[in-house]
Amino acid sequence: MILLLSDDLIFTSRVAGTGRDLGFSIRVAKTADSLLEIARETPPACAIVDLSNPGLKISKFVAALKQLSPAPNIVAYGSHVDTATLKAAREAGCDLVMPRSQFVELLSKNLASWMQPAAE
């Protein structure tokens, strides 16, 4: 299962549609708290995070996801001009952080690999 944190309806439809087309189960949460609630019930293989999500505290959010067993891969994307947020996501421990444009470019061809457990 993939969990997507995004409150952008159009972009959410695009990501969810791509995932479903590739045969993956995708659940969408509009807030970090609701995503964590879902993840605690059924830990996902991958969590995709829109770093522009209102109120997102990336350090706390990533720490909570990393406590799950097994911990999901965390793929985060954000604005290419918001370098501070992208850096904060890397420092928080996201497995992959990229500008939104790169995320869109890589989504269909890399989604399956994002579902695989991270190398120890």
PDB file of all heavy atoms in Angstrom, residues 66-101:
ATOM      1  N   LYS A  66       8.930   6.474  10.804  1.00  0.00           N
ATOM      2  CA  LYS A  66      10.082   5.578  10.956  1.00  0.00           C
ATOM      3  C   LYS A  66       9.927   4.638  12.150  1.00  0.00           C
ATOM      4  O   LYS A  66      10.622   3.626  12.234  1.00  0.00           O
ATOM      5  CB  LYS A  66      11.383   6.383  11.084  1.00  0.00           C
ATOM      6  CG  LYS A  66      11.763   7.127   9.814  1.00  0.00           C
ATOM      7  CD  LYS A  66      12.154   6.183   8.704  1.00  0.00           C
ATOM      8  CE  LYS A  66      12.641   6.933   7.476  1.00  0.00           C
ATOM      9  NZ  LYS A  66      13.076   6.064   6.406  1.00  0.00           N
ATOM     10  N   GLN A  67       8.999   4.939  13.059  1.00  0.00           N
ATOM     11  CA  GLN A  67       8.745   4.057  14.201  1.00  0.00           C
ATOM     12  C   GLN A  67       7.855   2.872  13.834  1.00  0.00           C
ATOM     13  O   GLN A  67       7.753   1.920  14.599  1.00  0.00           O
ATOM     14  CB  GLN A  67       8.105   4.836  15.353  1.00  0.00           C
ATOM     15  CG  GLN A  67       9.057   5.790  16.020  1.00  0.00           C
ATOM     16  CD  GLN A  67       8.399   6.578  17.123  1.00  0.00           C
ATOM     17  OE1 GLN A  67       7.204   6.448  17.386  1.00  0.00           O
ATOM     18  NE2 GLN A  67       9.169   7.419  17.791  1.00  0.00           N
ATOM     19  N   LEU A  68       7.223   2.927  12.685  1.00  0.00           N
ATOM     20  CA  LEU A  68       6.363   1.826  12.253  1.00  0.00           C
ATOM     21  C   LEU A  68       7.211   0.606  11.925  1.00  0.00           C
ATOM     22  O   LEU A  68       8.382   0.726  11.586  1.00  0.00           O
ATOM     23  CB  LEU A  68       5.557   2.231  11.024  1.00  0.00           C
ATOM     24  CG  LEU A  68       4.590   3.393  11.185  1.00  0.00           C
ATOM     25  CD1 LEU A  68       3.991   3.759   9.845  1.00  0.00           C
ATOM     26  CD2 LEU A  68       3.508   3.057  12.187  1.00  0.00           C
ATOM     27  N   SER A  69       6.604  -0.544  12.034  1.00  0.00           N
ATOM     28  CA  SER A  69       7.321  -1.770  11.684  1.00  0.00           C
ATOM     29  C   SER A  69       6.501  -2.561  10.684  1.00  0.00           C
ATOM     30  O   SER A  69       5.403  -3.020  11.017  1.00  0.00           O
ATOM     31  CB  SER A  69       7.577  -2.596  12.937  1.00  0.00           C
ATOM     32  OG  SER A  69       8.304  -3.744  12.613  1.00  0.00           O
ATOM     33  N   PRO A  70       6.985  -2.719   9.484  1.00  0.00           N
ATOM     34  CA  PRO A  70       8.222  -2.135   8.953  1.00  0.00           C
ATOM     35  C   PRO A  70       8.025  -0.661   8.608  1.00  0.00           C
ATOM     36  O   PRO A  70       6.922  -0.234   8.281  1.00  0.00           O
ATOM     37  CB  PRO A  70       8.484  -2.962   7.697  1.00  0.00           C
ATOM     38  CG  PRO A  70       7.116  -3.381   7.232  1.00  0.00           C
ATOM     39  CD  PRO A  70       6.303  -3.570   8.491  1.00  0.00           C
ATOM     40  N   ALA A  71       9.111   0.083   8.680  1.00  0.00           N
ATOM     41  CA  ALA A  71       9.049   1.509   8.350  1.00  0.00           C
ATOM     42  C   ALA A  71       8.926   1.663   6.832  1.00  0.00           C
ATOM     43  O   ALA A  71       9.586   0.957   6.076  1.00  0.00           O
ATOM     44  CB  ALA A  71      10.301   2.219   8.845  1.00  0.00           C
ATOM     45  N   PRO A  72       8.058   2.558   6.388  1.00  0.00           N
ATOM     46  CA  PRO A  72       7.902   2.757   4.940  1.00  0.00           C
ATOM     47  C   PRO A  72       9.035   3.592   4.358  1.00  0.00           C
ATOM     48  O   PRO A  72       9.706   4.338   5.079  1.00  0.00           O
ATOM     49  CB  PRO A  72       6.584   3.527   4.842  1.00  0.00           C
ATOM     50  CG  PRO A  72       6.544   4.325   6.108  1.00  0.00           C
ATOM     51  CD  PRO A  72       7.163   3.424   7.159  1.00  0.00           C
ATOM     52  N   ASN A  73       9.230   3.470   3.055  1.00  0.00           N
ATOM     53  CA  ASN A  73      10.072   4.431   2.349  1.00  0.00           C
ATOM     54  C   ASN A  73       9.291   5.737   2.318  1.00  0.00           C
ATOM     55  O   ASN A  73       8.071   5.735   2.114  1.00  0.00           O
ATOM     56  CB  ASN A  73      10.344   3.968   0.915  1.00  0.00           C
ATOM     57  CG  ASN A  73      11.315   2.818   0.873  1.00  0.00           C
ATOM     58  OD1 ASN A  73      12.209   2.722   1.704  1.00  0.00           O
ATOM     59  ND2 ASN A  73      11.137   1.951  -0.085  1.00  0.00           N
ATOM     60  N   ILE A  74       9.978   6.831   2.504  1.00  0.00           N
ATOM     61  CA  ILE A  74       9.328   8.139   2.495  1.00  0.00           C
ATOM     62  C   ILE A  74       9.876   8.942   1.332  1.00  0.00           C
ATOM     63  O   ILE A  74      11.066   9.241   1.273  1.00  0.00           O
ATOM     64  CB  ILE A  74       9.546   8.886   3.824  1.00  0.00           C
ATOM     65  CG1 ILE A  74       9.046   8.042   4.991  1.00  0.00           C
ATOM     66  CG2 ILE A  74       8.850  10.251   3.778  1.00  0.00           C
ATOM     67  CD1 ILE A  74       9.412   8.591   6.358  1.00  0.00           C
ATOM     68  N   VAL A  75       8.996   9.234   0.388  1.00  0.00           N
ATOM     69  CA  VAL A  75       9.335  10.004  -0.802  1.00  0.00           C
ATOM     70  C   VAL A  75       8.648  11.359  -0.664  1.00  0.00           C
ATOM     71  O   VAL A  75       7.420  11.430  -0.551  1.00  0.00           O
ATOM     72  CB  VAL A  75       8.863   9.283  -2.082  1.00  0.00           C
ATOM     73  CG1 VAL A  75       9.163  10.133  -3.310  1.00  0.00           C
ATOM     74  CG2 VAL A  75       9.506   7.905  -2.190  1.00  0.00           C
ATOM     75  N   ALA A  76       9.454  12.419  -0.645  1.00  0.00           N
ATOM     76  CA  ALA A  76       8.906  13.755  -0.456  1.00  0.00           C
ATOM     77  C   ALA A  76       9.201  14.624  -1.669  1.00  0.00           C
ATOM     78  O   ALA A  76      10.251  14.493  -2.303  1.00  0.00           O
ATOM     79  CB  ALA A  76       9.506  14.390   0.792  1.00  0.00           C
ATOM     80  N   TYR A  77       8.261  15.494  -1.983  1.00  0.00           N
ATOM     81  CA  TYR A  77       8.460  16.429  -3.086  1.00  0.00           C
ATOM     82  C   TYR A  77       7.960  17.804  -2.660  1.00  0.00           C
ATOM     83  O   TYR A  77       7.097  17.933  -1.785  1.00  0.00           O
ATOM     84  CB  TYR A  77       7.742  15.963  -4.359  1.00  0.00           C
ATOM     85  CG  TYR A  77       6.243  15.912  -4.227  1.00  0.00           C
ATOM     86  CD1 TYR A  77       5.463  17.033  -4.483  1.00  0.00           C
ATOM     87  CD2 TYR A  77       5.600  14.747  -3.820  1.00  0.00           C
ATOM     88  CE1 TYR A  77       4.090  16.993  -4.353  1.00  0.00           C
ATOM     89  CE2 TYR A  77       4.230  14.693  -3.686  1.00  0.00           C
ATOM     90  CZ  TYR A  77       3.476  15.825  -3.956  1.00  0.00           C
ATOM     91  OH  TYR A  77       2.120  15.778  -3.807  1.00  0.00           O
ATOM     92  N   GLY A  78       8.543  18.817  -3.269  1.00  0.00           N
ATOM     93  CA  GLY A  78       8.136  20.186  -2.946  1.00  0.00           C
ATOM     94  C   GLY A  78       8.589  21.139  -4.038  1.00  0.00           C
ATOM     95  O   GLY A  78       9.176  20.744  -5.043  1.00  0.00           O
ATOM     96  N   SER A  79       8.350  22.385  -3.798  1.00  0.00           N
ATOM     97  CA  SER A  79       8.693  23.427  -4.753  1.00  0.00           C
ATOM     98  C   SER A  79      10.208  23.516  -4.928  1.00  0.00           C
ATOM     99  O   SER A  79      10.956  23.508  -3.941  1.00  0.00           O
ATOM    100  CB  SER A  79       8.161  24.773  -4.264  1.00  0.00           C
ATOM    101  OG  SER A  79       8.668  25.819  -5.059  1.00  0.00           O
ATOM    102  N   HIS A  80      10.646  23.633  -6.169  1.00  0.00           N
ATOM    103  CA  HIS A  80      12.085  23.732  -6.432  1.00  0.00           C
ATOM    104  C   HIS A  80      12.688  25.016  -5.865  1.00  0.00           C
ATOM    105  O   HIS A  80      13.885  25.063  -5.619  1.00  0.00           O
ATOM    106  CB  HIS A  80      12.365  23.631  -7.939  1.00  0.00           C
ATOM    107  CG  HIS A  80      11.943  24.823  -8.716  1.00  0.00           C
ATOM    108  ND1 HIS A  80      10.632  25.055  -9.073  1.00  0.00           N
ATOM    109  CD2 HIS A  80      12.652  25.877  -9.190  1.00  0.00           C
ATOM    110  CE1 HIS A  80      10.558  26.181  -9.740  1.00  0.00           C
ATOM    111  NE2 HIS A  80      11.762  26.700  -9.829  1.00  0.00           N
ATOM    112  N   VAL A  81      11.876  26.024  -5.636  1.00  0.00           N
ATOM    113  CA  VAL A  81      12.404  27.273  -5.072  1.00  0.00           C
ATOM    114  C   VAL A  81      12.429  27.265  -3.553  1.00  0.00           C
ATOM    115  O   VAL A  81      13.080  28.113  -2.945  1.00  0.00           O
ATOM    116  CB  VAL A  81      11.627  28.513  -5.592  1.00  0.00           C
ATOM    117  CG1 VAL A  81      11.785  28.652  -7.090  1.00  0.00           C
ATOM    118  CG2 VAL A  81      10.175  28.460  -5.198  1.00  0.00           C
ATOM    119  N   ASP A  82      11.765  26.312  -2.943  1.00  0.00           N
ATOM    120  CA  ASP A  82      11.742  26.220  -1.478  1.00  0.00           C
ATOM    121  C   ASP A  82      12.844  25.266  -1.011  1.00  0.00           C
ATOM    122  O   ASP A  82      12.593  24.196  -0.477  1.00  0.00           O
ATOM    123  CB  ASP A  82      10.366  25.742  -1.003  1.00  0.00           C
ATOM    124  CG  ASP A  82      10.183  25.878   0.493  1.00  0.00           C
ATOM    125  OD1 ASP A  82      11.146  26.277   1.191  1.00  0.00           O
ATOM    126  OD2 ASP A  82       9.077  25.569   0.976  1.00  0.00           O
ATOM    127  N   THR A  83      14.072  25.690  -1.223  1.00  0.00           N
ATOM    128  CA  THR A  83      15.214  24.831  -0.921  1.00  0.00           C
ATOM    129  C   THR A  83      15.334  24.514   0.568  1.00  0.00           C
ATOM    130  O   THR A  83      15.807  23.449   0.932  1.00  0.00           O
ATOM    131  CB  THR A  83      16.521  25.455  -1.435  1.00  0.00           C
ATOM    132  OG1 THR A  83      16.672  26.764  -0.875  1.00  0.00           O
ATOM    133  CG2 THR A  83      16.511  25.541  -2.955  1.00  0.00           C
ATOM    134  N   ALA A  84      14.896  25.428   1.423  1.00  0.00           N
ATOM    135  CA  ALA A  84      14.972  25.180   2.865  1.00  0.00           C
ATOM    136  C   ALA A  84      14.083  24.004   3.265  1.00  0.00           C
ATOM    137  O   ALA A  84      14.479  23.161   4.077  1.00  0.00           O
ATOM    138  CB  ALA A  84      14.578  26.440   3.638  1.00  0.00           C
ATOM    139  N   THR A  85      12.902  23.928   2.688  1.00  0.00           N
ATOM    140  CA  THR A  85      11.983  22.827   3.002  1.00  0.00           C
ATOM    141  C   THR A  85      12.510  21.508   2.452  1.00  0.00           C
ATOM    142  O   THR A  85      12.436  20.473   3.123  1.00  0.00           O
ATOM    143  CB  THR A  85      10.574  23.122   2.470  1.00  0.00           C
ATOM    144  OG1 THR A  85      10.097  24.310   3.106  1.00  0.00           O
ATOM    145  CG2 THR A  85       9.618  21.984   2.747  1.00  0.00           C
ATOM    146  N   LEU A  86      13.046  21.526   1.247  1.00  0.00           N
ATOM    147  CA  LEU A  86      13.628  20.310   0.673  1.00  0.00           C
ATOM    148  C   LEU A  86      14.796  19.827   1.543  1.00  0.00           C
ATOM    149  O   LEU A  86      14.916  18.630   1.826  1.00  0.00           O
ATOM    150  CB  LEU A  86      14.087  20.555  -0.766  1.00  0.00           C
ATOM    151  CG  LEU A  86      12.991  20.878  -1.786  1.00  0.00           C
ATOM    152  CD1 LEU A  86      13.591  21.298  -3.120  1.00  0.00           C
ATOM    153  CD2 LEU A  86      12.038  19.712  -1.963  1.00  0.00           C
ATOM    154  N   LYS A  87      15.625  20.752   1.987  1.00  0.00           N
ATOM    155  CA  LYS A  87      16.753  20.407   2.853  1.00  0.00           C
ATOM    156  C   LYS A  87      16.254  19.847   4.185  1.00  0.00           C
ATOM    157  O   LYS A  87      16.784  18.848   4.696  1.00  0.00           O
ATOM    158  CB  LYS A  87      17.630  21.636   3.089  1.00  0.00           C
ATOM    159  CG  LYS A  87      18.831  21.360   3.968  1.00  0.00           C
ATOM    160  CD  LYS A  87      19.662  22.613   4.188  1.00  0.00           C
ATOM    161  CE  LYS A  87      20.828  22.300   5.116  1.00  0.00           C
ATOM    162  NZ  LYS A  87      21.575  23.511   5.458  1.00  0.00           N
ATOM    163  N   ALA A  88      15.233  20.471   4.759  1.00  0.00           N
ATOM    164  CA  ALA A  88      14.684  19.996   6.033  1.00  0.00           C
ATOM    165  C   ALA A  88      14.150  18.574   5.904  1.00  0.00           C
ATOM    166  O   ALA A  88      14.303  17.752   6.817  1.00  0.00           O
ATOM    167  CB  ALA A  88      13.577  20.943   6.513  1.00  0.00           C
ATOM    168  N   ALA A  89      13.547  18.259   4.770  1.00  0.00           N
ATOM    169  CA  ALA A  89      13.027  16.901   4.545  1.00  0.00           C
ATOM    170  C   ALA A  89      14.163  15.888   4.476  1.00  0.00           C
ATOM    171  O   ALA A  89      14.065  14.788   5.033  1.00  0.00           O
ATOM    172  CB  ALA A  89      12.192  16.865   3.266  1.00  0.00           C
ATOM    173  N   ARG A  90      15.242  16.258   3.815  1.00  0.00           N
ATOM    174  CA  ARG A  90      16.417  15.369   3.763  1.00  0.00           C
ATOM    175  C   ARG A  90      16.975  15.150   5.166  1.00  0.00           C
ATOM    176  O   ARG A  90      17.283  14.023   5.557  1.00  0.00           O
ATOM    177  CB  ARG A  90      17.499  15.957   2.860  1.00  0.00           C
ATOM    178  CG  ARG A  90      17.195  15.846   1.395  1.00  0.00           C
ATOM    179  CD  ARG A  90      18.350  16.372   0.523  1.00  0.00           C
ATOM    180  NE  ARG A  90      17.895  16.517  -0.839  1.00  0.00           N
ATOM    181  CZ  ARG A  90      17.434  17.652  -1.368  1.00  0.00           C
ATOM    182  NH1 ARG A  90      17.403  18.754  -0.661  1.00  0.00           N
ATOM    183  NH2 ARG A  90      17.014  17.680  -2.625  1.00  0.00           N
ATOM    184  N   GLU A  91      17.116  16.235   5.898  1.00  0.00           N
ATOM    185  CA  GLU A  91      17.672  16.152   7.251  1.00  0.00           C
ATOM    186  C   GLU A  91      16.761  15.386   8.199  1.00  0.00           C
ATOM    187  O   GLU A  91      17.231  14.753   9.146  1.00  0.00           O
ATOM    188  CB  GLU A  91      17.956  17.551   7.790  1.00  0.00           C
ATOM    189  CG  GLU A  91      19.107  18.227   7.075  1.00  0.00           C
ATOM    190  CD  GLU A  91      19.320  19.681   7.471  1.00  0.00           C
ATOM    191  OE1 GLU A  91      18.477  20.255   8.205  1.00  0.00           O
ATOM    192  OE2 GLU A  91      20.337  20.257   7.029  1.00  0.00           O
ATOM    193  N   ALA A  92      15.464  15.413   7.942  1.00  0.00           N
ATOM    194  CA  ALA A  92      14.504  14.694   8.793  1.00  0.00           C
ATOM    195  C   ALA A  92      14.565  13.191   8.563  1.00  0.00           C
ATOM    196  O   ALA A  92      14.072  12.418   9.370  1.00  0.00           O
ATOM    197  CB  ALA A  92      13.089  15.211   8.542  1.00  0.00           C
ATOM    198  N   GLY A  93      15.156  12.770   7.438  1.00  0.00           N
ATOM    199  CA  GLY A  93      15.296  11.342   7.184  1.00  0.00           C
ATOM    200  C   GLY A  93      14.435  10.788   6.069  1.00  0.00           C
ATOM    201  O   GLY A  93      14.305   9.565   5.937  1.00  0.00           O
ATOM    202  N   CYS A  94      13.852  11.651   5.244  1.00  0.00           N
ATOM    203  CA  CYS A  94      13.109  11.147   4.085  1.00  0.00           C
ATOM    204  C   CYS A  94      14.082  10.361   3.205  1.00  0.00           C
ATOM    205  O   CYS A  94      15.241  10.740   3.056  1.00  0.00           O
ATOM    206  CB  CYS A  94      12.505  12.303   3.286  1.00  0.00           C
ATOM    207  SG  CYS A  94      11.158  13.139   4.129  1.00  0.00           S
ATOM    208  N   ASP A  95      13.602   9.269   2.644  1.00  0.00           N
ATOM    209  CA  ASP A  95      14.462   8.418   1.828  1.00  0.00           C
ATOM    210  C   ASP A  95      14.784   9.040   0.483  1.00  0.00           C
ATOM    211  O   ASP A  95      15.850   8.793  -0.081  1.00  0.00           O
ATOM    212  CB  ASP A  95      13.794   7.049   1.631  1.00  0.00           C
ATOM    213  CG  ASP A  95      13.603   6.346   2.955  1.00  0.00           C
ATOM    214  OD1 ASP A  95      14.615   6.002   3.591  1.00  0.00           O
ATOM    215  OD2 ASP A  95      12.437   6.163   3.369  1.00  0.00           O
ATOM    216  N   LEU A  96      13.865   9.834  -0.030  1.00  0.00           N
ATOM    217  CA  LEU A  96      14.064  10.477  -1.318  1.00  0.00           C
ATOM    218  C   LEU A  96      13.335  11.816  -1.280  1.00  0.00           C
ATOM    219  O   LEU A  96      12.162  11.876  -0.899  1.00  0.00           O
ATOM    220  CB  LEU A  96      13.484   9.581  -2.423  1.00  0.00           C
ATOM    221  CG  LEU A  96      13.715   9.972  -3.859  1.00  0.00           C
ATOM    222  CD1 LEU A  96      15.206  10.075  -4.183  1.00  0.00           C
ATOM    223  CD2 LEU A  96      13.069   8.943  -4.781  1.00  0.00           C
ATOM    224  N   VAL A  97      14.042  12.878  -1.661  1.00  0.00           N
ATOM    225  CA  VAL A  97      13.465  14.226  -1.666  1.00  0.00           C
ATOM    226  C   VAL A  97      13.786  14.848  -3.017  1.00  0.00           C
ATOM    227  O   VAL A  97      14.923  14.775  -3.482  1.00  0.00           O
ATOM    228  CB  VAL A  97      14.064  15.099  -0.539  1.00  0.00           C
ATOM    229  CG1 VAL A  97      13.473  16.501  -0.571  1.00  0.00           C
ATOM    230  CG2 VAL A  97      13.849  14.446   0.826  1.00  0.00           C
ATOM    231  N   MET A  98      12.774  15.442  -3.638  1.00  0.00           N
ATOM    232  CA  MET A  98      12.991  16.017  -4.960  1.00  0.00           C
ATOM    233  C   MET A  98      12.001  17.148  -5.222  1.00  0.00           C
ATOM    234  O   MET A  98      10.957  17.238  -4.570  1.00  0.00           O
ATOM    235  CB  MET A  98      12.855  14.941  -6.029  1.00  0.00           C
ATOM    236  CG  MET A  98      11.470  14.350  -6.147  1.00  0.00           C
ATOM    237  SD  MET A  98      11.420  12.854  -7.152  1.00  0.00           S
ATOM    238  CE  MET A  98      11.640  11.632  -5.864  1.00  0.00           C
ATOM    239  N   PRO A  99      12.342  17.991  -6.196  1.00  0.00           N
ATOM    240  CA  PRO A  99      11.386  19.004  -6.624  1.00  0.00           C
ATOM    241  C   PRO A  99      10.161  18.324  -7.251  1.00  0.00           C
ATOM    242  O   PRO A  99      10.260  17.227  -7.800  1.00  0.00           O
ATOM    243  CB  PRO A  99      12.144  19.810  -7.674  1.00  0.00           C
ATOM    244  CG  PRO A  99      13.574  19.477  -7.476  1.00  0.00           C
ATOM    245  CD  PRO A  99      13.620  18.111  -6.884  1.00  0.00           C
ATOM    246  N   ARG A 100       9.052  18.993  -7.186  1.00  0.00           N
ATOM    247  CA  ARG A 100       7.797  18.447  -7.707  1.00  0.00           C
ATOM    248  C   ARG A 100       7.909  18.039  -9.175  1.00  0.00           C
ATOM    249  O   ARG A 100       7.396  16.997  -9.579  1.00  0.00           O
ATOM    250  CB  ARG A 100       6.688  19.492  -7.508  1.00  0.00           C
ATOM    251  CG  ARG A 100       5.328  19.044  -7.924  1.00  0.00           C
ATOM    252  CD  ARG A 100       4.337  20.166  -7.615  1.00  0.00           C
ATOM    253  NE  ARG A 100       3.035  19.837  -8.121  1.00  0.00           N
ATOM    254  CZ  ARG A 100       1.907  20.028  -7.449  1.00  0.00           C
ATOM    255  NH1 ARG A 100       1.931  20.536  -6.244  1.00  0.00           N
ATOM    256  NH2 ARG A 100       0.761  19.724  -7.976  1.00  0.00           N
ATOM    257  N   SER A 101       8.590  18.833  -9.974  1.00  0.00           N
ATOM    258  CA  SER A 101       8.719  18.520 -11.400  1.00  0.00           C
ATOM    259  C   SER A 101       9.464  17.200 -11.607  1.00  0.00           C
ATOM    260  O   SER A 101       9.092  16.396 -12.475  1.00  0.00           O
ATOM    261  CB  SER A 101       9.432  19.651 -12.145  1.00  0.00           C
ATOM    262  OG  SER A 101      10.728  19.852 -11.597  1.00  0.00           O
TER     263      SER A 101
END
